[in-house]
Amino acid sequence: MCIFCKIINGEIPSKKVYEDDDVLAILDISQATKGHTLVMPKKHYANLFEIDNNVYLKVMAKAKELALKITEKENALGCNILNNCNEAAGQSVMHFHVHILPRYKDDDLKLEFIDHSKIYDLDNILKEIK
Ligand code: AMP
Ligand code: ZN
């Protein structure tokens, strides 16, 4: 059983932010920024590619609601909503979850998008992915 399923079952303790029949939100143990929260389905789906659409919509709607609440309560300036899908993208726990990362001035979180537009041709990419 995965570590988040153990948390959902109560075998491992967690700091619960929100819970209903389908969704659990807990404080991320790492607190990459203050209030860093994970929102997940109670049913196990390995990742974004596996999760049922209806469950996904429930998790994302709750993530949006909690993002607003946490940002306001912590007096944050904004937030990032992040999902890592597969190890190559940084996923370390293979149970679908969304990170809520409240953002603060000088908070030290680095999510840098480097401009590679000179390397990749947009029209070629369109042909490949459409
Ligand atoms: P990811 O890398 O997207 O799979 O994120 C996994 C997250 O789970 C990391 O940010 C970890 O800090 C967090 N995490 C791992 N174990 C626990 C735990 N027992 N309680 C709360 N958060 C955890
Ligand atoms: Zn699981």
Side-chain angles (χ1 to χ4, degrees):
M1 191 186 294
C2 89
I3 187 167
F4 288 173
C5 281
K6 285 183 180 165
I7 286 174
I8 290 156
N9 286 347
E11 288 173 49
I12 294 178
S14 68
K15 301 291 184 193
K16 289 184 187 176
V17 175
Y18 173 82
E19 182 173 22
D20 64 27
D21 287 347
D22 304 308
V23 179
L24 177 69
I26 61 170
L27 289 181
D28 190 298
I29 207 158
S30 74
Q31 290 299 290
T33 62
K34 186 173 180 232
H36 182 182
T37 296
L38 302 173
V39 191
M40 65 190 75
K42 285 191 169 174
K43 191 171 171 198
H44 180 94
Y45 298 96
N47 62 26
L48 178 76
F49 297 149
E50 302 288 328
I51 189 169
D52 172 87
N53 272 358
N54 289 324
V55 178
Y56 175 75
L57 292 175
K58 277 186 192 163
V59 172
M60 294 311 287
K62 189 50 69 179
K64 182 201 166 187
E65 197 181 305
L66 291 174
L68 177 61
K69 186 175 177 190
I70 296 165
T71 300
E72 283 181 354
K73 295 254 183 189
E74 289 292 0
N75 292 315
L77 303 171
C79 69
N80 293 101
I81 299 285
L82 178 72
N83 168 251
N84 299 322
C85 182
N86 283 345
E87 202 179 325
Q91 185 175 6
S92 60
V93 178
M94 295 304 286
H95 179 127
F96 177 84
H97 56 281
V98 180
H99 296 257
I100 300 171
L101 291 150
R103 299 307 303 264
Y104 308 89
K105 191 172 182 297
D106 302 324
D107 64 17
D108 245 4
L109 182 65
K110 302 272 176 283
L111 295 170
E112 196 180 359
F113 285 19
I114 295 164
D115 185 347
H116 287 129
S117 61
K118 287 194 174 68
I119 304 173
Y120 299 116
D121 181 74
L122 271 62
D123 289 323
N124 271 344
I125 295 167
L126 269 190
K127 270 187 222 150
E128 286 167 6
I129 68 174
K130 266 178 95 169

